[in-house]
């Protein structure tokens, strides 16, 4: 059943919407009126701004001219002060540097008059010609109260305007100086009356302007007139009116055409609205994420389930091209390559698994099924994807796999502990026998007398090493059987020195330089010295093995320092380093970087250090190479009972 047209189903709403075609015409009229009002207001604002600028520039020009006259007066005052007490004459006047300075600026001539206003000297003798024919004067007494006469400077007002008005003001305005009768005194342009086509502004200029050298009366009615050379044209041009007049008929025609189009759209809208509502309801209720893309990868459609799956709203996904925001940043190239295979028609029909990133950052596992997207003409225009969230299923599988690995790992550790305990038990008897035989041979040689001291020393060292081996085997056996280490107060400096001494010949044969930087002021720690010594031996031997393939010089350094309430031991080499591996990976049981290694050395070392409430760490050495560090707590009163052998 076809739905009724929108205008028939809702006559009032259809009649109102059918009048929408008149809206562009009304908006055009409002727009034209707004443009005309804006142009007029802008014109008035520009004129007001031009008037304010003109007033500001006129006041600024008047102030600059006053400042220039004040400078010339100050220069004349210095000249008069320099002539005070001098022999009146041309020579004294010409010798003053102020004279040349003034003549290079505004002065046309300088006249020296005596107290009776008789001329004593004048430079230049004839004065500098003034093209305008007008000149003004400045005067200054010479000597106390003018007893030695006075100086009269004649200057051209046109030069005053030329040097006192900035060049940019001269280009923008015509600056004129007039008197009360509107007679022109000076101008920056051609000599004419100030009336002009542009707007002008008049400001009083009643400064020290004197037209005669023999009078103190100043011109009090002079004024400056600034006239705009190029006034702003009127904004409302005939061309603008013609354009506006042509715009209105075109808007009317466009509105009529729009009316026809609106009526057609309204009829078509009610035909597909019901169909779209049914389709949207079915797609949004599906539990499978749907995604439609064109042949170039641009997203055409996503349903609500897909948006909830990746955490991005549809508005931010539609129209996007690869790479997509839900692709993992560390696998962009891999996902892009698989995406290109899909667009090439090589997507597996059984689907494929993928890892995506939710908007909040957590990873999701999905199963993607791709199928061709065909339009109404039967042409393939893209691909339709169905996405299923399999994150929970993957987590369950991973949990089961980890449980199986944990059981196998525990089984291997149990078996290793049993084997190690058996080996320790079996080795204890041969080591005891070796120590006993060594003691017997040593006692026999000492009773006979005359034995070689070197042989006796070697037998004594053999006995010590056999006893040490027995203690090591006993402590490791006790440690593997879950007994507490035999902790006692000890100095780590002695433990480190003993451990390095045991490896000295081995390091010397490998051409490895060994250095110790131990803090002699370190306090004692409570630890099992035998186990800690074995940890140090293991770490130093690992560093030596890593240096065997490294070119010379080869160097291992062991340092100790105080770090808060712990003592920190660092074993550093200049070998190839850890290749990006951390302590967790290196100390994992059965993991080894050596072809013949069992992968238990660092794991046992870590267990020994953690049993002492310490921490084993690994990283890169400052100068390159590897660094293995462990820390042990200091001996405190809280550990006093651990120092007592009876406590163990």
């Amino acid at each position: 059943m076809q739905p009724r047209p929108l205008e028939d189903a809702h006559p009032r709403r259809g009649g109102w919407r059918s009048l929408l075609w008149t809206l562009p015409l009304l908006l055009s009229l409002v727009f034209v009126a707004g443009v005309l009002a804006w142009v007029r207001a802008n014109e008035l604002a520009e004129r007001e701004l031009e008037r304010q600028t003109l007033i500001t520039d006129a006041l600024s020009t008047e102030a600059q001219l006053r400042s220039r006259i004040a400078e010339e007066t100050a220069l004349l005052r210095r000249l008069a002060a320099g002539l005070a007490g001098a022999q009146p004459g041309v020579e004294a006047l010409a010798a003053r540097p102020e004279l040349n300075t003034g003549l290079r600026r505004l002065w046309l001539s300088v006249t020296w008059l005596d107290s009776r206003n008789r001329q004593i000297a004048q430079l230049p003798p004839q004065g500098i010609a003034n093209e305008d024919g007008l000149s003004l004067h400045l005067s200054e007494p010479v000597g106390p109260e003018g007893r030695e006469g006075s100086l009269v400077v004649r200057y051209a007002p046109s030069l005053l305007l030329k040097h006192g008005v900035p060049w940019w003001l001269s280009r923008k305005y015509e600056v004129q100086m007039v008197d009360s009768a509107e007679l022109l005194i000076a101008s920056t342009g051609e000599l004419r009356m100030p009336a002009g086509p542009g707007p002008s502004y008049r400001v009083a200029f009643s400064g020290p302007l004197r037209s005669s050298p023999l009078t103190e009366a100043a011109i009090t009615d002079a004024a400056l007139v600034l006239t705009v050379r190029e006034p702003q044209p009127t904004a409302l041009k005939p061309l603008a009116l013609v354009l506006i007049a042509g715009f209105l008929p075109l808007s009317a025609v466009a509105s009529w055409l729009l009316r026809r189009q609106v009526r057609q759209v309204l009829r078509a809208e009610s035909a597909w609205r019901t169909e779209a509502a049914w389709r949207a309801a079915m797609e949004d209720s599906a539990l499978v994420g749907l995604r439609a893309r064109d042949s170039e990868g641009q997203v055409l459609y996503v349903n609500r389930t897909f948006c909830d799956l990746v955490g991005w709203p549809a508005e931010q996904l539609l129209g996007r091209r690869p790479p997509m925001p839900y692709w993992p940043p560390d696998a962009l190239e891999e996902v892009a390559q698989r995406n290109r295979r899909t667009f090439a028609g090589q997507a597996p029909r059984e689907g494929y698994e993928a890892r995506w990133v939710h908007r909040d950052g957590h990873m999701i596992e999905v199963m993607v099924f791709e199928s061709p997207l065909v339009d109404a003409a039967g042409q393939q225009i893209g691909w339709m994807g169905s996405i299923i969230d399999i994150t929970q299923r993957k987590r369950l599988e991973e949990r089961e796999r980890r449980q199986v690995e944990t059981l196998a790992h525990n089984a291997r550790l149990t078996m290793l502990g049993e084997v190690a305990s058996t080996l320790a038990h079996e080795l204890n008897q041969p080591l005891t026998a070796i120590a006993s035989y060594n003691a017997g041979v040593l006692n026999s040689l000492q009773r006979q007398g005359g034995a070689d001291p070197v042989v006796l020393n070697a037998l004594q060292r053999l006995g010590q090493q056999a006893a040490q081996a027995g203690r090591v085997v006993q402590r490791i056996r006790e440690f593997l059987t879950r007994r507490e280490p035999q902790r006692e107060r000890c100095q780590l400096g002695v433990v480190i020195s003993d451990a390095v001494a045991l490896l000295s010949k081995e390091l010397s044969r490998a051409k490895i330089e060994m250095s110790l930087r131990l803090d002699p002021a370190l306090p004692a720690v409570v630890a099992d010295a035998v186990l800690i010594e074995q940890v140090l031996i293991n770490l130093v031997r690992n560093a030596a093995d890593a240096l065997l393939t490294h070119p010379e010089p080869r160097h291992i350094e062991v340092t100790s320092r105080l770090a808060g309430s712990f003592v920190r031991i660092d074993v550093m080499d200049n070998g190839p380093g850890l290749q990006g591996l951390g302590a967790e990976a290196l100390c994992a049981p059965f993991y080894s970087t050596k072809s013949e290694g069992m992968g238990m050395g660092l794991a046992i070392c870590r267990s020994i250090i953690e049993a002492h409430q310490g921490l084993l760490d690994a990283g890169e050495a400052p100068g390159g190479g590897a660094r293995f560090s462990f820390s042990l707590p200091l001996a405190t009163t809280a550990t006093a009972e651990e120092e007592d052998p009876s406590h163990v």
Side-chain angles (χ1 to χ4, degrees):
M1 178 178 178
Q2 290 285 2
R4 296 174 57 190
L6 185 62
E7 292 183 355
D8 297 336
H10 305 282
R12 292 183 180 179
R13 187 173 64 180
W16 177 80
R17 298 185 62 182
S18 63
L19 295 178
L20 289 177
W21 66 272
T22 60
L23 185 59
L25 181 59
L26 296 177
L27 292 178
S28 300
L29 296 176
V30 174
F31 174 75
V32 170
V35 168
L36 293 176
W38 175 79
V39 169
R40 181 58 181 171
N42 189 51
E43 179 182 355
L44 295 177
E46 288 181 354
R47 289 182 179 178
E48 178 62 22
L49 179 61
E50 182 182 24
R51 189 180 72 86
Q52 295 294 336
T53 304
L54 177 60
I55 294 173
T56 303
D57 292 341
L59 295 176
S60 175
T61 302
E62 188 265 346
Q64 293 184 31
L65 291 178
R66 286 182 179 275
S67 176
R68 190 56 185 265
I69 292 176
E71 292 177 3
E72 300 301 326
T73 302
L75 182 62
L76 178 60
R77 188 173 293 112
R78 290 199 301 271
L79 177 59
L83 293 176
Q87 181 64 33
V90 176
E91 294 78 5
L93 182 60
R96 300 304 301 172
E98 293 86 353
L99 176 66
N100 294 328
T101 302
L103 292 177
R104 285 195 304 267
R105 289 158 56 167
L106 301 180
W107 297 357
L108 300 178
S109 65
V110 179
T111 304
W112 190 353
L113 303 178
D114 60 9
S115 58
R116 298 182 180 181
N117 292 331
R118 291 177 299 183
Q119 180 174 320
I120 299 174
Q122 178 175 327
L123 288 177
Q126 302 299 328
I128 300 175
N130 184 13
E131 298 178 357
D132 297 341
L134 298 176
S135 61
L136 298 176
H137 300 82
L138 295 173
S139 65
E140 184 68 24
V142 179
E145 298 180 359
R147 295 192 184 95
E148 299 180 26
S150 60
L151 292 178
V152 177
V153 170
R154 183 170 63 90
Y155 66 94
S158 59
L159 290 177
L160 176 64
L161 295 182
K162 179 179 179 181
H163 294 285
V165 178
W167 64 270
W168 57 271
L169 278 177
S170 299
R171 293 186 59 181
K172 186 177 180 181
Y173 304 106
E174 182 175 352
V175 183
Q176 297 175 337
M177 185 183 298
V178 299
D179 58 9
S180 59
E182 299 297 329
L183 295 178
L184 188 64
I185 299 175
S187 174
T188 57
E190 298 179 357
L191 289 175
R192 60 180 179 83
M193 294 307 292
S200 61
Y201 185 76
R202 183 188 186 99
V203 59
F205 190 67
S206 58
L209 303 177
R210 296 172 53 200
S211 58
S212 173
L214 301 178
T215 179
E216 295 294 335
I219 302 176
T220 59
D221 53 0
L224 286 177
V225 179
L226 269 68
T227 305
V228 180
R229 293 183 182 274
E230 297 180 1
Q232 292 290 338
T234 304
L236 295 177
K237 295 291 186 179
L239 178 60
L241 297 177
V242 171
L243 293 177
I244 292 175
F247 174 74
L248 292 177
L250 291 177
S251 299
V253 173
S255 299
W256 180 77
L257 294 176
L258 182 62
R259 178 175 180 270
R260 286 203 320 172
Q261 185 68 21
V262 167
R263 295 177 66 88
Q264 294 176 3
V265 169
L266 290 176
R267 285 193 295 268
E269 181 183 0
S270 69
W272 56 257
R273 177 177 292 148
T274 302
E275 180 181 356
W278 279 96
R279 186 183 66 181
M282 289 186 294
E283 293 172 351
D284 289 339
S285 62
L287 300 179
V288 177
L290 299 178
R291 175 191 63 185
R293 298 181 293 175
D294 62 12
S295 57
E296 296 181 356
Q298 181 178 355
V299 179
L300 304 177
Y301 168 78
V302 289
N303 68 341
R304 184 173 60 187
T305 304
F306 183 88
C307 295
D308 295 340
L309 179 65
V310 298
W312 290 87
E315 294 78 10
Q316 299 186 22
L317 293 177
L318 296 179
R320 292 287 296 265
R321 297 179 182 271
M324 294 302 172
Y326 46 81
W327 287 3
D330 56 347
L332 288 179
E333 183 58 30
E334 178 184 353
V335 179
Q337 184 177 1
R338 185 171 55 200
N339 198 55
R340 288 191 292 268
R341 289 199 302 266
T342 299
F343 291 149
Q346 301 177 4
R349 295 182 59 86
E350 64 275 9
Y352 60 89
E353 295 183 4
R355 295 177 71 249
W356 289 353
V357 180
H358 194 271
R359 189 175 186 180
D360 60 9
H362 76 271
M363 302 298 297
I364 56 176
E365 302 283 345
V366 294
M367 191 73 180
V368 183
F369 300 89
E370 298 281 1
S371 59
L373 179 63
V374 181
D375 62 3
Q379 300 292 330
Q380 181 179 351
I381 60 174
W383 295 88
M384 172 62 74
S386 301
I387 296 91
I388 302 175
D389 186 5
I390 59 173
T391 304
Q392 191 63 28
R393 190 186 75 186
K394 282 293 191 180
R395 289 177 180 174
L396 293 176
E397 294 177 355
E398 180 66 18
R399 185 181 303 172
E400 293 177 359
R401 184 185 64 82
R402 290 181 179 178
Q403 289 177 351
V404 172
E405 290 182 354
T406 301
L407 292 176
H409 175 66
N410 292 335
R412 289 196 299 269
L413 288 179
T414 302
M415 180 182 64
L416 178 64
E418 293 176 354
V419 171
S421 179
T422 303
L423 288 175
H425 177 72
E426 296 296 332
L427 289 175
N428 192 42
Q429 294 179 359
L431 289 174
T432 303
I434 292 173
S436 299
Y437 284 126
N438 180 76
V441 173
L442 184 60
N443 293 332
S444 178
L445 291 176
Q446 288 176 350
R447 283 195 303 269
Q448 293 177 3
D452 188 354
V454 176
V455 175
L456 292 177
N457 186 35
L459 291 175
Q460 290 175 354
R461 293 287 297 173
L462 177 61
Q464 293 174 0
Q465 294 301 321
Q468 176 67 14
R471 288 194 297 270
V472 170
V473 170
Q474 183 65 24
R475 295 293 176 84
I476 292 177
R477 182 170 181 243
E478 293 175 354
F479 182 75
L480 292 175
T481 54
R482 297 297 182 182
R483 295 184 183 178
E484 287 293 329
Q486 296 183 8
R487 302 179 187 178
E488 57 187 0
R489 182 183 293 270
C490 60
Q491 295 293 334
L492 278 181
V494 178
V495 176
I496 295 172
S497 300
D498 293 343
V500 172
L502 294 174
L503 299 174
S504 58
K505 293 187 179 297
E506 181 181 342
L507 297 177
S508 178
R509 286 194 300 268
K511 297 181 179 180
I512 298 175
E513 180 185 355
M514 187 72 194
S515 63
L516 299 178
R517 285 198 302 112
L518 308 179
D519 187 356
L522 284 178
V525 297
V526 175
D528 191 324
V530 176
L531 294 180
I532 298 302
E533 182 177 327
Q534 293 306 307
V535 171
L536 280 167
I537 292 174
N538 191 293
L539 296 180
V540 174
R541 182 171 284 125
N542 285 345
D545 293 341
L547 288 173
L548 290 179
T549 58
H550 193 71
E552 297 183 12
R554 303 165 182 164
H555 180 73
I556 298 177
E557 182 181 23
V558 180
T559 65
S560 65
R561 58 187 174 89
L562 187 64
S565 59
F566 289 83
V567 175
R568 180 183 176 93
I569 310 299
D570 296 317
V571 179
M572 296 176 286
D573 61 65
N574 61 340
L578 301 179
Q579 309 298 327
L581 298 176
E584 291 295 332
L586 293 171
C587 296
F590 307 107
Y591 176 82
S592 177
T593 58
K594 308 174 187 177
S595 59
E596 71 281 1
M598 296 181 57
M600 292 304 299
L602 288 177
I604 295 176
C605 290
R606 185 177 186 179
S607 299
I608 292 174
I609 297 300
E610 290 180 351
H612 286 77
Q613 287 79 44
L615 178 65
L616 180 66
D617 188 21
E620 298 294 333
R627 173 190 57 79
F628 282 87
S629 306
F630 65 90
S631 58
L632 296 174
L634 297 175
T636 59
T637 55
T639 61
E641 59 179 14
E642 295 183 4
E643 302 177 24
D644 187 1
S646 62
H647 176 71
V648 180

